[in-house]
């Protein structure tokens, strides 16, 4: 949203340790506030008595709201009630809870379902067709493993099988990465407008997202290469050592590499929204994400872990029945499939499972992109008072003349 003032990265934000320029409430001017001088004529001190229950005496009037009476049920905020935050779009403009972030992602899918499901379904269908064609015509047959092999032969067969699996999954991973790239770029724009309560068509979102595709591709490739390099560093010493000690060392290195990769992926999880909405470069967006996540790594990790757990649950709910149907149609039954040693699947299996994958991708891609974008908005509200800029950009009454450093 390059036309909205709220998304630009502040030159000196409160997250740098500077809190100057944050608007403070002005003193009341109508005499209704607590300011002013006490009157020299004071009433005589009264006697305190414990309050009685309302309606305890015949004809007793209900106690007035205040210090000794029941709390007021009126529309005002009152002493102990927090004022309602403005909500021009799918989220209230204040620091968000976990449920509000998840609900905001789902609300965006409901409010802009034509745009969200349109881009998600189109990209999912194209990518899944490409994956099916690659699996059917380009991938080599999987290496068989002899269960009776022992010693060096078993290690060699396991290494060959792992290499074959990596080569088989590489095209699907690349296609999925490109599909995620397109969906994330467009949906980030849609979600950023939905926060302000603005509608967004597919053509408008694509026009705004298209100039950022190459930087987003660079960011995706950089993070992928970073993860792959860490995995190589963790596994290589054990693979070079060989034998039983090498396997143990490779396992320890794999665990350590996974921990570092997870730490970095959470630290840089908000880089894509920063790149898209703030128009930052690849390296600057990584630094912005690290700055926003700093001090809230575990909270960010928990929200992302919960998001991907929900995605896995939805995927299992869909993939299990489609898998059973595909196996039943492609073979003589489920028992025959389980007893067979062949891994050569026919067209019915690939098509039916492909339909299930399209449904999963269509539902989960927008949800994941929405959570990450709203998590970025939440962190900027907490650290940089972005809610003031968003309220002003949305035209919320009372924010037009709010000072901003």
């Amino acid at each position: 949203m390059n036309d909205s003032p709220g998304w630009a990265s502040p030159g000196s934000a409160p997250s740098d340790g500077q809190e100057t320029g944050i608007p403070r409430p002005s003193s009341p001017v109508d005499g209704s506030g607590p300011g002013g001088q006490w009157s020299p004529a004071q009433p005589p001190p009264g006697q305190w008595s414990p309050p009685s229950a309302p309606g305890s005496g015949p004809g007793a009037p209900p106690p007035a709201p205040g210090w000794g009476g029941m709390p007021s049920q009126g529309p005002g905020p009152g002493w102990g009630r927090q004022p309602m935050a403005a909500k021009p779009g799918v989220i209230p403009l204040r620091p968000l809870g976990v449920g509000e972030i998840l609900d905001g992602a789902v609300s965006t899918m409901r409010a802009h379902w034509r745009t969200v499901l349109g881009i998600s379904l189109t990209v999912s269908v194209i990518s899944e067709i490409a994956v099916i064609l690659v699996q059917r015509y380009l991938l080599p047959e999987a290496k068989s493993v002899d269960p009776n092999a022992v010693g060096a032969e078993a290690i060699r067969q396991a290494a060959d099988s792992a290499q074959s699996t990596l080569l088989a999954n590489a095209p699907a991973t690349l296609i999925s990465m490109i599909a995620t790239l397109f969906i994330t770029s467009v949906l980030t724009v849609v979600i950023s407008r939905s926060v302000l309560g603005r509608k967004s068509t597919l053509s408008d979102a694509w026009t705004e997202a298209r100039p950022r595709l190459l930087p987003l591709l660079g960011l995706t490739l950089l993070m992928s290469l970073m993860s792959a390099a860490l995995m190589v560093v963790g596994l290589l010493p054990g693979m070079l050592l060989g034998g039983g000690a090498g396997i143990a060392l490779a396992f320890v290195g794999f665990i350590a590499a996974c921990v570092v990769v997870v730490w970095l992926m959470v630290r840089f999880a908000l880089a894509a929204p920063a790149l898209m909405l703030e128009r930052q470069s690849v390296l600057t967006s990584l630094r912005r994400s690290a700055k926003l996540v700093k001090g809230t790594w575990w909270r960010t990790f928990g929200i992302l872990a919960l998001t991907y757990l929900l995605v896995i649950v939805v995927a299992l709910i869909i993939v299990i029945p489609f898998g059973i149907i595909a196996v039943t149609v492609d073979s003589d039954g489920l028992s025959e499939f389980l007893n067979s040693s062949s891994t050569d699947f026919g067209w019915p299996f690939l098509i039916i499972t492909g339909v299930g994958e399209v449904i999963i991708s269509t539902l989960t891609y927008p949800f994941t992109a929405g959570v990450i974008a709203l998590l970025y908005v939440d962190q900027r509200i907490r650290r940089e008072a972005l809610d003031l800029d968003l309220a002003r950009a949305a035209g919320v009454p009372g924010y037009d003349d709010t000072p901003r450093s």
Side-chain angles (χ1 to χ4, degrees), residues 24-232:
R24 305 293 182 188
S26 59
S27 58
V29 296
D30 56 354
S32 60
Q37 301 294 326
W38 290 99
S39 173
Q42 297 295 322
Q47 299 295 324
W48 290 97
S49 60
S52 58
S56 57
W67 292 101
M70 297 296 291
S72 172
Q73 302 297 324
W79 285 100
R81 190 175 303 172
Q82 192 175 15
M84 295 293 292
K87 188 179 179 181
V90 295
I91 59 170
L93 298 183
R94 55 171 172 75
L96 304 174
V98 177
E100 290 172 323
I101 293 176
L102 300 177
D103 180 71
V106 177
S107 298
T108 302
M109 295 174 62
R110 290 200 308 261
H112 308 278
W113 64 270
R114 289 185 179 88
T115 303
V116 172
L117 297 184
I119 182 63
S120 182
L121 179 61
T122 301
V123 175
S124 298
V125 169
I126 295 175
S127 62
E128 190 60 34
I129 291 175
V131 169
I132 290 176
L133 294 178
V134 168
Q135 289 177 343
R136 186 63 178 173
Y137 293 112
L138 298 182
L139 292 183
E141 294 185 2
K143 297 292 184 64
S144 60
V145 177
D146 185 7
N148 298 321
V150 294
E153 179 64 21
I155 295 176
R156 185 191 64 81
Q157 290 186 11
D160 291 342
S161 177
Q163 182 180 4
S164 176
T165 302
L166 289 176
L167 292 176
N169 292 332
T173 302
L174 179 62
I175 293 172
S176 176
M177 184 179 68
I178 296 174
T180 305
L181 183 75
F182 278 96
I183 294 176
T184 301
S185 62
V186 175
L187 293 185
T188 301
V189 175
V190 175
I191 293 164
S192 66
R193 291 188 174 183
S194 68
V195 170
L196 302 177
R198 298 176 181 175
K199 299 293 183 181
S200 180
T201 63
L202 183 57
S203 60
D204 294 338
W206 172 248
T207 301
E208 189 170 338
R210 184 173 55 191
R212 308 302 298 165
L213 281 179
L214 286 180
L216 188 60
L217 175 61
L219 175 65
T220 305
L221 291 176
L222 179 60
M223 296 182 67
S224 301
L225 291 175
M226 192 185 308
S227 302
L230 290 171
M231 286 297 177
V232 170

Side-chain angles (χ1 to χ4, degrees), residues 326-338:
V327 168
T328 304
V329 172
D330 193 59
S331 61
D332 294 335
L334 184 60
S335 59
E336 192 273 339
F337 171 79
L338 295 176

Side-chain angles (χ1 to χ4, degrees), residues 297-362:
W297 190 94
W298 283 108
R299 179 177 183 270
T300 305
F301 170 78
I303 294 175
L304 293 178
L306 178 60
T307 301
Y308 289 115
L309 178 62
L310 294 175
V311 168
I312 292 173
V313 171
V314 171
L316 289 177
I317 292 174
I318 297 174
V319 76
I320 290 177
F322 274 90
I324 295 176
I325 295 173
V327 168
T328 304
V329 172
D330 193 59
S331 61
D332 294 335
L334 184 60
S335 59
E336 192 273 339
F337 171 79
L338 295 176
N339 295 326
S340 176
S341 60
S342 175
T343 58
D344 186 19
F345 300 117
W347 279 110
F349 181 89
L350 295 177
I351 292 175
I352 294 175
T353 55
V355 171
E357 291 293 334
V358 167
I359 297 175
I360 293 172
S361 301
T362 302

